[in-house]
Structures are given as C-alpha cells and as structure tokens.
C-alpha cells in the first residue's frame, strides 16, 4: 500500500483569519452573510465540504471516517474577519439588499455585523470592466503606486482587526479578455511594467501582486488571467504564498464535469453539446460585454476538450460541436437557468439526447466554494505550501497547473486527488481504491 512520506507539519490555526475580498458583490456578500448566520446557529453550511464533508482514513473495514473539519487544523468560522474593496462604497447590509440573493428575514439578525463591513476604495480600470462605473476608486500615478496603496490597506486591516493571518479571494467582476505577453513572463519585467503603467496589467493583477508581496494566499474566483502568469507564480514562490484558480466551478460546468466523464467512461460518442444560460445579476450584465464574455467563454469551453480527449478517441469526440452562451436577462436576478442539450450516440451510431435544465442560484452555489477555498488556502500556507495548488482544482472551471501539464477536470478525480492530498498532508495512508487487500486471504 502506498504510504504518505511526510508527517504533518501544519502550524496551528491560532488567532483571527482576515478574509480580504476584491469585489464585494453577490458572491462576496452571500459568503459573508452565510458565515455570520452559521456562526449564530441560524443556518447550516450546506454546500461546504470543509464544514459538512467527511474523509475516509485507512481501510473500509476500519470505519475511520472523521469530519474533514475535525481531521484538519482548519481555521474556525468564529475566527474569520471579512474586509475588501469595491467601487460602490456601500456596506454589506445595503449590498445584500441590492443584490437580492438573500431574503430580508435572513439578513435582519445579522444586520449590525453586515453594516459594520464597508469596502475600501478599489483599484479599478473601466477598460477592464466596461459595463461598470466606479464611485470609489483609488488614484495614483502608476500601477506600482496603486499596488503600494493596496499593501497599506492590507497592513492597516490586519492591524485594526487583530488578524494573525490573511487570505485574499477575488470575487470581483470578470475582466475583459487578456492574452499573456512578455511582461507577464518574469517578475522583474512585470515590476518594471507596473512602474510604467503597462496596459496589459489588469486591476486583478495589481491586487494579486499586493497580496503575494505580503505573503498572502491568493484565490481567483473569476476566469481573469491574473495570477496564472509566470511573473506572479515566481513571486508566490519567493514569498511562500499559495495560489489557486481560476473561476469557481458551480453550476453548469460542475454538471458538465460529472456528465462528460460518465459518457467517456462508457465510450458513448458526443456529436454536440449546446449550453446556454439566462442570468440577470450584475455578473450577467458584465458578461454581456463581448470582451468579458470572451474570458468566461474560454474558461467554460476548455472543460470538454480535456475531458473527452478527442485526439485519443477521434471516432467518438473529434466532431463534437461545443457551444456556450450566456444571455443577460434581468428578471431572473441571481437565479440562473442553465440549459444543456447534449447530442450523443451509442452502439452502431444510434443517436440519443440528454437535456439538462438547471434552475440554480449562482451565489448560493458559489459562497460555500469560496468558504472552503479560504479555509484550505489558509491551511496550505500554514503547511508551508507555495505556488500553484493543483489539488484544489475541484473548485475551479479552469484549474491552473504547472506549464506543460494538462488540467484535470473530472469532478470525481478532482475530489479523490484533493482528499489524497489532505491525507498526505496529515501523514495518513493514501487511498488508491485498489481493493485487493479485502480479498487477499494470505493476510
Ligand atoms: N456565482 C457563481 O456561481 C460564479 C461562478 C464562477 C465565477 N463567478 C465569478 O465570480 C465573480 C463575482 O460574481 P458576482 O456574482 O458576485 O458578481 P457581482 O457583479 O455581483 O460582484 C462583482 C463585484 O466586483 C466589483 N468589482 C469589479 N471590478 C473591481 C475591482 N477592480 N476592484 C474591486 N471591485 C471590483 C463590482 O463592482 C461588483 O460589486 C465574477 O467574476 C463571476 O464571473 C461566479
């Protein structure tokens, strides 16, 4: 049996953990309001693996299946403190009402705590999010100077809130599409470009740079290029900071990464996969801009290509036509409806169809994902991990991986990988699902 080679060397989660959020809109406010409600015992953390999930240790016959939060030295929800940046300047109670995700009766008991959380002024560039206009944005002569202002905010927040540790999680809008170029390839070039106001440095990159300079884990909940560039990965390594991304995997893509592996497992062919959505929240409005949609589209399209591996199975998947659409439709607010029409074929080429109609709630799905990521990334930092945390690909549409590797998209493989990483970190035996040990009579 494979055994873990390391003994747990994770520093304990002592003191408060500050959660810094660039972009305090629907996802961020739902995360904050939910956490505050859970703390008061008003609701339960449905959707959160760290809070509700279990992990098997050892053989099936041992019946050792602790709760993940009891097995790992994760931060306690009581110790979480929230802060962040946005362009609207509104407190979190006001924003919860504006986004309309949660009902007023769920907000009233946590009204005062929500009112006390106000965003700091953002680093914003309308070229990168064209559908929004900033009311509260920082001004400085260079992008490097903006990064330094963010670092001042981070330090001031840490001090005033008495935090022992921080994590940054981007819940901001999807930025316009940005191609990687040579200034992204090296930290020194990137820093020079920050000083020279290079247009190919997006605001999200300035936040990531500030966080990583301070040795703070960075999580990217959007499909923005941000931290997935060699310059920022170098910085992450240098300052011992873990990074994870990109783009929370919550609704339609989560379903895709369950269904597509099942079809491939049974060698059923796919001739087409049409995914469309209607969505009426601010995210939907931002994605109505073709350049922001392009960033999202790329993230959503990659999944099938990797899962179906058309080069290995040309007969089954080479001709699969994949289309993704997001339509802004205000009446639905945060309640997205995602349709998938999947044209498949089976034995002797006979066609069949699968239809999925997922009436989901975007932020209700995303908030527990964000919570888990915050807690895991804080632990990763205490475990001495830095750079890309591929074991967290379970949570992302477009998981970042080391150059030269392809990402793993299959949700069930991602879960096994993550749980084995958790066992490994805690010095427990890895689980291979081989199973012969239960039938080997000589032992
Ligand atoms: N909800 C989901 O299921 C889901 C899934 C995957 C990814 N995402 C991504 O998560 C992000 C947040 O989604 P949301 O529904 O909360 O969107 P939202 O529009 O409600 O909130 C985003 C917030 O970011 C702010 N913002 C934009 N640029 C900023 C900047 N430079 N600095 C600070 N704030 C900035 C906006 O003002 C807004 O308040 C989006 O990028 C979305 O695509 C969401």
């Amino acid at each position: 049996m494979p055994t873990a080679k390391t003994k747990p060397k994770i520093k304990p989660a002592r003191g408060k953990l500050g959660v810094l959020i660039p972009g305090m809109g629907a996802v961020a406010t739902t995360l904050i309001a939910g956490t505050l409600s859970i703390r008061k015992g008003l609701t339960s953390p449905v959707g959160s693996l760290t809070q509700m999930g279990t992990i098997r240790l050892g053989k099936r016959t041992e019946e050792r299946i602790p709760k993940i939060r009891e097995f790992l030295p994760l931060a306690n929800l009581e110790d979480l403190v929230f802060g962040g940046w946005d362009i609207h300047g509104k407190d979190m109670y006001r924003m919860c009402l504006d986004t309309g995700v949660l009902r007023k009766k769920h907000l009233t008991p946590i009204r005062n705590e929500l009112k006390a959380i106000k965003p700091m002024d953002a680093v914003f560039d309308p070229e990168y999010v064209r559908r929004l206009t900033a009311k509260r944005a920082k001004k400085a002569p260079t992008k490097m100077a903006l990064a330094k202002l963010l670092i001042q905010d981070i330090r001031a927040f840490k001090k005033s809130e008495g935090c022992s540790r921080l994590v940054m999680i981007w819940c901001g809008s999807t930025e316009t599409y940005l191609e990687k170029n040579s200034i992204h390839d090296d930290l020194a070039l990137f820093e020079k470009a920050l000083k020279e106001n290079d247009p190919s440095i997006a605001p999200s990159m300035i936040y990531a740079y500030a966080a990583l300079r301070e040795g703070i884990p960075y999580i990217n909940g959007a499909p923005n290029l941000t931290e997935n560039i060699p310059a920022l990965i170098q910085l992450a390594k240098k300052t011992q900071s873990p990074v994870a991304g990109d783009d929370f995997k919550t609704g339609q893509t989560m379903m895709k990464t369950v269904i597509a592996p099942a079809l491939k497992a049974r060698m059923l062919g796919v001739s087409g996969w049409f995914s469309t959505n209607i969505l009426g929240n601010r995210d939907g409005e931002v994605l109505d801009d073709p350049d922001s949609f392009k960033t999202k589209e790329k993230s959503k399209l990659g999944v099938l290509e990797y899962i179906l591996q058309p080069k290995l199975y040309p007969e089954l998947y080479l001709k699969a036509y994949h289309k993704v659409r997001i339509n802004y439709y205000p009446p639905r607010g945060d309640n997205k409806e995602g349709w998938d029409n999947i044209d498949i074929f089976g034995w002797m080429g006979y066609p069949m169809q699968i239809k999925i109609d997922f009436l989901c709630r975007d932020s209700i799905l995303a908030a527990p994902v964000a919570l888990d990521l915050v807690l895991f990334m804080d632990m990763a930092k205490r475990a001495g991990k830095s750079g890309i945390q591929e074991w967290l690909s379970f949570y992302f549409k477009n998981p970042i991986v080391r150059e030269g590797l392809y990402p793993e998209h299959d949700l069930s493989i991602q879960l096994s990988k993550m749980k084995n990483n958790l066992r490994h970190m805690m010095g427990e035996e890895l689980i291979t699902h081989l199973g012969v040990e239960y039938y080997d009579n000589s032992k």
Side-chain angles (χ1 to χ4, degrees):
M1 279 302 276
T3 49
K5 292 193 182 79
T6 50
K7 285 266 164 270
K9 274 187 259 159
I10 309 175
K11 289 188 191 138
R14 270 197 208 107
K16 288 190 188 171
L17 172 63
V19 183
L20 286 169
I21 316 177
M24 305 186 90
V27 172
T29 50
T30 310
L31 163 69
I32 297 171
T35 308
L36 297 176
S37 304
I38 295 162
R39 279 205 316 224
K40 287 199 167 184
L42 299 171
T43 188
S44 61
V46 178
S48 162
L49 193 77
T50 59
Q51 303 306 302
M52 301 195 102
T54 59
I55 183 163
R56 166 156 76 92
L57 305 174
K59 289 185 187 167
R60 269 183 274 164
T61 45
E62 290 177 39
E63 293 187 22
R64 282 199 295 147
I65 311 176
K67 284 229 155 106
I68 287 179
R69 69 183 155 83
E70 284 156 11
F71 172 58
L72 300 168
L74 294 172
N76 198 313
L77 295 195
E78 294 297 323
D79 293 328
L80 264 46
V81 191
F82 295 96
W85 298 266
D86 209 306
I87 54 173
H88 52 63
K90 294 178 190 168
D91 68 65
M92 292 298 99
Y93 181 68
R94 183 74 254 156
M95 272 314 279
C96 279
L97 294 178
D98 282 5
T99 59
V101 176
L102 300 172
R103 294 185 192 117
K104 203 167 177 185
K105 67 172 185 184
H106 293 133
L107 301 173
T108 306
I110 49 170
R111 187 174 185 270
N112 292 342
E113 290 98 316
L114 287 173
K115 271 189 151 307
I117 306 170
K118 295 193 177 87
M120 298 176 265
D121 293 356
V123 167
F124 186 76
D125 179 347
E127 264 310 296
Y128 277 92
V129 185
R130 300 206 187 111
R131 296 283 153 109
L132 303 182
T133 314
K135 288 205 177 79
R136 308 287 294 264
K138 294 189 193 305
K139 288 190 178 66
T142 67
K143 294 188 175 183
M144 182 58 102
L146 286 170
K148 287 190 177 152
L149 291 178
L150 287 176
I151 290 175
Q152 273 177 25
D153 286 350
I154 292 170
R155 290 182 183 170
F157 177 87
K158 190 173 183 191
K159 197 165 168 216
S160 67
E161 298 294 335
C163 299
S164 62
R165 308 168 326 277
L166 299 168
V167 168
M168 190 182 285
I169 180 163
W170 174 273
C171 295
S173 310
T174 299
E175 296 175 327
T176 51
Y177 185 70
L178 178 60
E179 282 279 355
K180 201 157 62 159
N181 68 37
S182 59
I183 65 120
H184 301 131
D185 278 347
D186 173 80
L187 183 56
L189 291 177
F190 184 82
E191 289 183 326
K192 185 167 171 281
L194 274 172
K195 288 177 193 149
E196 290 170 357
N197 272 336
D198 193 296
S200 46
I201 296 185
S204 62
M205 289 175 172
I206 305 177
Y207 286 98
Y209 175 78
L212 297 175
R213 270 266 302 255
E214 293 294 280
I216 298 169
Y218 185 88
I219 303 156
N220 183 10
N224 308 336
L225 183 63
T226 318
E227 80 300 352
N228 193 12
I229 53 171
L232 289 179
I233 301 298
Q234 279 170 27
L235 179 60
K237 285 272 179 198
K238 195 169 146 187
T239 60
Q240 293 273 296
S241 329
V243 294
D246 290 347
D247 206 6
F248 300 133
K249 177 156 86 172
T250 51
Q252 191 169 57
T253 308
M254 191 207 26
M255 300 305 283
K256 209 169 260 181
T257 60
V258 173
I259 308 273
L263 297 173
K264 191 178 83 173
R266 286 292 168 95
M267 291 288 108
L268 293 169
V270 175
S271 51
W273 197 312
F274 179 62
S275 305
T276 188
N277 298 273
I278 54 174
L279 169 68
N281 62 13
R282 177 122 32 80
D283 188 30
E285 192 180 348
V286 167
L287 292 172
D288 214 33
D289 171 29
D291 278 341
S292 285
F293 177 67
K294 193 171 170 196
T295 313
K296 192 61 127 186
E297 187 185 29
K298 238 179 134 44
S299 163
K300 279 180 162 264
L301 281 176
V303 168
L304 275 195
E305 174 83 12
Y306 285 109
I307 293 180
L308 297 178
Q309 297 175 294
K311 281 196 185 122
L312 285 181
Y313 309 101
E315 241 183 301
L316 298 174
Y317 307 120
L318 198 62
K319 289 190 188 145
Y321 186 84
H322 189 197
K323 186 119 194 139
V324 180
R325 281 277 162 267
I326 297 177
N327 303 287
Y328 178 50
Y329 180 62
R332 286 294 174 93
D334 200 61
N335 298 350
K336 178 154 63 181
E337 184 158 1
W339 290 273
D340 284 89
N341 170 75
I342 315 162
D343 286 296
I344 66 171
F345 55 92
W347 189 244
M348 298 168 73
Y350 277 78
M352 295 170 264
Q353 291 184 4
I354 302 172
K355 312 270 182 193
I356 303 169
D357 185 0
F358 191 0
L359 289 103
C360 66
R361 291 174 187 267
D362 241 14
S363 305
I364 294 294
L365 292 171
V369 164
L371 175 66
D372 284 355
L373 282 165
V374 163
L375 298 180
F376 280 142
M377 285 289 272
D378 166 54
M379 188 184 75
K381 169 85 185 176
R382 283 183 280 112
K385 289 182 174 287
S386 66
I388 297 169
Q389 303 301 301
E390 202 206 299
W391 58 284
L392 290 170
S393 52
F394 176 68
Y395 291 107
F396 297 106
K397 275 202 234 348
N398 190 21
I400 60 169
V401 285
R402 204 202 67 197
E403 236 169 321
L405 282 179
Y406 66 84
E408 184 53 70
H409 282 284
D410 178 332
L411 192 80
S412 123
I413 297 178
Q414 290 174 330
L415 180 64
S416 302
K417 181 201 272 281
M418 183 165 77
K419 287 195 169 177
N420 262 341
N421 270 270
L422 298 177
R423 293 181 187 106
H424 183 71
M425 271 187 244
M426 296 303 289
E428 284 284 341
E429 231 172 55
L430 307 186
I431 290 184
T432 62
H433 302 287
L434 186 63
V436 288
E437 64 275 23
Y438 302 111
Y439 299 93
D440 184 352
N441 295 331
S442 63
K443 281 189 187 163

